[in-house]
Amino acid sequence: AQSVAQPEDQVNVAEGNPLTVKCTYSVSGNPYLFWYVQYPNRGLQFLLKYITGDNLVKGSYGFEAEFNKSQTSFHLKKPSALVSDSALYFCAPRLNDYKLSFGAGTTVTVRA
Amino acid sequence: NAGVTQTPKFQVLKTGQSMTLQCAQDMNHNSMYWYRQDPGMGLRLIYYSASEGTTDKGEVPNGYNVSRLNKREFSLRLESAAPSQTSVYFCASSGGHRPIQETQYFGPGTRLLVL
């Protein structure tokens, strides 16, 4: 079955420290992988995506993600977290032309 | 360029009432989607419209109907609301010629409470 897993419900980091949000996926065929962020009481905002090419993808707000085909992972990273990065993060593999697979997401809290 | 807009922002219904959630996009996108978000369950696809004039069921279509009124607008209708439909509803759209690679852009959401 095609799916996505974000193994950590919550990630807590201090401001200025590196932030990593983990994601593993299971899809048939070529993986097309997306990261979204949701701030409280807001819609989802697109951060970055992997379609093909370089395994390191750079996105909005200083975030980047590394695609690892052998480990079927697509972890989101930020070298130096900000308090304003506190939000709910979703990894979403594309299952077919129109369907994204969303898990429950990971809540990130960055403390000052 | 407003992106994806949704109305209303918040609605309270009584069980059995009907309502229509409106969504519009100004990005000239072909595809539009309706999701619901429930605590601990991420987003689940209700219906989608690959192009004007077509609609298809997603993961959780029961209790809902949709209309792709034109290229810009995609509405979601609850004919007889139930408490299980209490949720946050998001509309999204995507464009381009290779749908599987395209980014979906989301609206701000509609919070629906069914009593």
Side-chain angles (χ1 to χ4, degrees), chain A residues 40 91-92:
Chain A
C91 177

Side-chain angles (χ1 to χ4, degrees), chain A residues 36 38 41 49 94 98 103, chain B residues 37 42 99 101-102 104 111:
Chain A
Y36 285 87
Q38 185 179 29
N41 299 314
K49 65 182 177 183
R94 182 65 63 85
Y98 301 103
Chain B
Q37 183 179 26
Q101 298 183 2
E102 302 303 332
Q104 292 184 15
R111 292 183 177 275

